[in-house]
Amino acid sequence: MRKIVIGAAQMGPNQKADSRETIVARMLALLEEAARKGCTLVVYPELALTTFFPRWYIEDPAEIDRWFESEMPNAATQPLFDKARELQVAISFGYAELTADGHHFNSQILTDRDGNIVAKYRKIHLPGHSEWDDERAFQHLEKRYFEPGDLGFPVWRTQDAVIGMLICNDRRWPEAYRVMGLQGVELVILGYNTPSVNSQNSAEGEEQRLYHSELSMTAAAYQNSTWVVGVAKAGDEDGHPLMGGSIIVDPNGYVVARAKTDGDELLVHECDMDLSVFGKETIFDFARHRRIEHYGLITSQTGVVRKV
Ligand code: CDT
């Protein structure tokens, strides 16, 4: 048995006015609870350190950069890295990354149990739009503030497991998991900020959005025989509700832990990485069963081309 006791650290809302220090204090409380409960890995949401700022239309570049981190760790997050090392708990969280040469990414890092960053992922499937959109009930300007990630979908061996990361909208795209599946991924960790209502269809509310989120993660877990841990930032951010629904999914696609609230809430599950072996050696033994001669359109064509 290769076990990792995982803490899915769902976070409640971060308001626009909240300081990084106040938010990190809540993350520290979740980390301490996780350590008390035996976790060796704690996963926090996408853009954990700030509000979900892509809902706000901003023109001033300096005002935009206020939401980004140009160093990691930095003064505000150092206490989190220090506490993680003291407690010997690996952590993973999302944040807006500003690189030294001026690039903007929606990123997530993973540390080892000594608080050293061992992995970084940059979100590839950026949803939303880049200019103000009158047709929407509220804005979702990720394409304005971020560039698509440039690191692909790598996996890393750490904590005696093969671990990959995704961020929010990525979790809806089977290709993302399959690229990691082809590298033997055993655990996919991801965070999300998903509005409770569809900005382009007010009839699509939280129930359906929770269903689609769970459907995407459970199907991907089964089809790649991997654990999937999906962690929400939830609740009402300055009048804009985000759904919760954080889950831990086993390699058979079963939900083994599920958040009950829309606030700061820790889910804990002892995840045996060896559970991913059976599926990888049988129904989803890719080497034996995949038929790549028929998959060409997946990488040669982006959108639908109708031939009939
Ligand atoms: N943060 C993020 O990626 N949210 C999206 C909302 C899509 S609606 C534009 C998601 O897939 O949950």
Side-chain angles (χ1 to χ4, degrees), residues 46 52 123 127-128 140 142 168-169 171-172 193-195 209:
E46 174 191 35
F52 187 71
K123 183 175 184 176
H140 195 111
E142 286 196 59
C168 196
N169 189 261
R171 76 193 186 285
R172 305 183 193 277
N193 285 248
T194 300
R209 289 170 78 79

Side-chain angles (χ1 to χ4, degrees), residues 34 37 48 86 101 107 113 122 127 140 149 195 198 220 239 254 256 261 278 280:
K37 292 179 173 167
E86 180 194 320
D101 54 352
S107 301
R113 294 176 67 182
R122 291 173 172 156
H140 195 111
N198 188 326
Y254 289 109
V256 295
T261 72
F278 182 74
K280 288 186 193 307

